[in-house]
Amino acid sequence: MVGVLGEVLGVHRALTVMLLAVALLMFPAPAAAGTGLQLDGDAPWIVPPELFRPSEAMSDHYNDTAQTLALRDVELDWYKVTGYRAVIIGNASWNPALQLRPEQPAVFFGDAARHPWLETTFNLTARGCGLERGREAHCVLRIDSGFMWDGAWVAGPAVVAVGNGTRGAVYAAFAFSEHVLGVSPWYRFSFDQPLWTGQTLPVEPAVRAFPPPKFRHRAIFLNDEELLGFFRRDPLGEQIFDPGTVDMILETLLRAKANTIILGTTPYPDERSLKLAARRGAPH
């Protein structure tokens, strides 16, 4: 009887250990707190109003669509890492006195050329962002000491992802994803997937500045369509790759800070991937 009871208890302990191991795999513990500023899922995003539109209302203007689509990619990254949908507010309607808790950080995105209020509010040049060095320069900036907003002092910290020009702003958004959220630029086509941690990585250093690229054109070429194209067939039969795959390729291209795509050996002149590349801000 004692031997049987011991066997039962042993099986029970083994099952308990196994269930605990499965639980740890399914629900990883949040990352340990770092030394720098970390954001949780409640931190609001402040963006220019033209970048905050539903899909059916988004214009075909290159400057708007390229930045909006990049922000939507980063919004999905934010959800995967923090577990929260991003709270996105147009800068013209944001009232920090009503929409921000004391000492709560906020995140800002934009193009310094099109949205000069970013320079006025955060003194980007004086803080070393280096956007004046040329096209496609971008930076991720941490503000610890508060800032002025619409004539009132906001005591909380801020994180600013800003670029020189439309593509610089796109790169800034993806730099925020890579260096603050910890998301690999290649995750769409790799096993290195975003991990839920409940909060971001520490926003360090205070200024992460990226100068203009050395090469003006940095391209990828979709070759070997006869070998690769039919893994993701276009259900409408209009082009080799389906639109979803083309979009992921363009997203990865921009995350890796390339800026040009050659859409196959002989792309059809009327295929929709050409329009999608233009909307993404990737010349073809």
Side-chain angles (χ1 to χ4, degrees), residues 73-74 77-78 81 109 138 140 161 170-187 192 194 200-202 204 208 210 252 254-257:
D73 295 330
V74 179
D77 300 343
W78 179 272
V81 171
F109 295 94
H138 53 287
V140 178
V170 168
Y171 293 158
F174 285 136
F176 174 87
S177 178
E178 180 179 2
H179 297 289
V180 178
L181 298 179
V183 174
S184 167
W186 311 101
Y187 91 88
D192 191 6
T200 70
L201 298 173
E204 297 174 332
R208 190 183 291 271
F210 302 86
T252 302
L254 293 166
R255 285 180 184 268
K257 301 184 183 179

Side-chain angles (χ1 to χ4, degrees), residues 4-16:
V4 173
L5 181 60
E7 289 182 7
V8 170
L9 291 174
V11 171
H12 183 268
R13 284 195 297 269
L15 287 173
T16 302

Side-chain angles (χ1 to χ4, degrees), residues 25-238:
L25 288 173
M26 293 179 64
F27 305 103
T35 57
L37 171 67
Q38 289 182 276
L39 308 173
D40 59 25
D42 288 333
W45 292 14
I46 313 304
V47 304
E50 65 270 20
L51 305 185
F52 181 43
R53 296 179 176 178
S55 298
E56 63 274 12
M58 190 167 61
S59 75
D60 284 334
H61 193 277
Y62 151 74
N63 292 314
D64 291 348
T65 57
Q67 293 183 56
T68 302
L69 291 172
L71 285 177
R72 289 180 180 175
D73 295 330
V74 179
E75 182 184 2
L76 182 60
D77 300 343
W78 179 272
Y79 177 74
K80 290 180 177 181
V81 171
T82 69
Y84 286 78
R85 289 284 301 273
V87 178
I88 305 177
I89 306 171
N91 71 290
S93 60
W94 185 51
N95 184 344
L98 300 177
Q99 297 172 295
L100 200 66
R101 299 191 307 271
E103 306 300 324
Q104 182 184 16
V107 185
F108 295 80
F109 295 94
D111 168 3
R114 296 181 67 210
H115 312 124
W117 55 269
L118 287 164
E119 172 66 43
T120 304
T121 304
F122 299 111
N123 299 315
L124 303 174
T125 303
R127 292 179 184 272
C129 267
L131 304 183
E132 70 282 356
R133 288 182 286 180
R135 68 168 72 197
E136 298 184 356
H138 53 287
C139 81
V140 178
L141 175 68
R142 188 188 76 223
I143 307 291
D144 296 318
S145 55
F147 54 94
M148 292 293 295
W149 187 266
D150 197 22
W153 180 253
V154 179
V159 177
V160 187
V162 60
N164 180 335
T166 295
R167 200 172 294 118
V170 168
Y171 293 158
F174 285 136
F176 174 87
S177 178
E178 180 179 2
H179 297 289
V180 178
L181 298 179
V183 174
S184 167
W186 311 101
Y187 91 88
R188 290 291 192 181
F189 297 98
S190 74
F191 293 108
D192 191 6
Q193 295 295 299
L195 297 177
W196 173 81
T197 61
Q199 60 187 357
T200 70
L201 298 173
V203 185
E204 297 174 332
V207 181
R208 190 183 291 271
F210 302 86
K214 297 294 184 182
F215 294 92
R216 181 168 182 176
H217 299 291
R218 305 169 308 281
I220 64 170
F221 174 27
L222 298 185
N223 200 359
D224 291 329
E225 299 96 318
E226 69 278 7
L227 297 177
L228 303 175
F230 302 107
F231 288 103
R232 293 286 183 89
R233 295 176 184 267
D234 181 2
L236 296 176
E238 295 179 352

Side-chain angles (χ1 to χ4, degrees), residues 245-257:
T245 299
V246 175
D247 189 55
M248 287 194 294
I249 292 170
L250 291 167
E251 176 190 339
T252 302
L253 174 150
L254 293 166
R255 285 180 184 268
K257 301 184 183 179

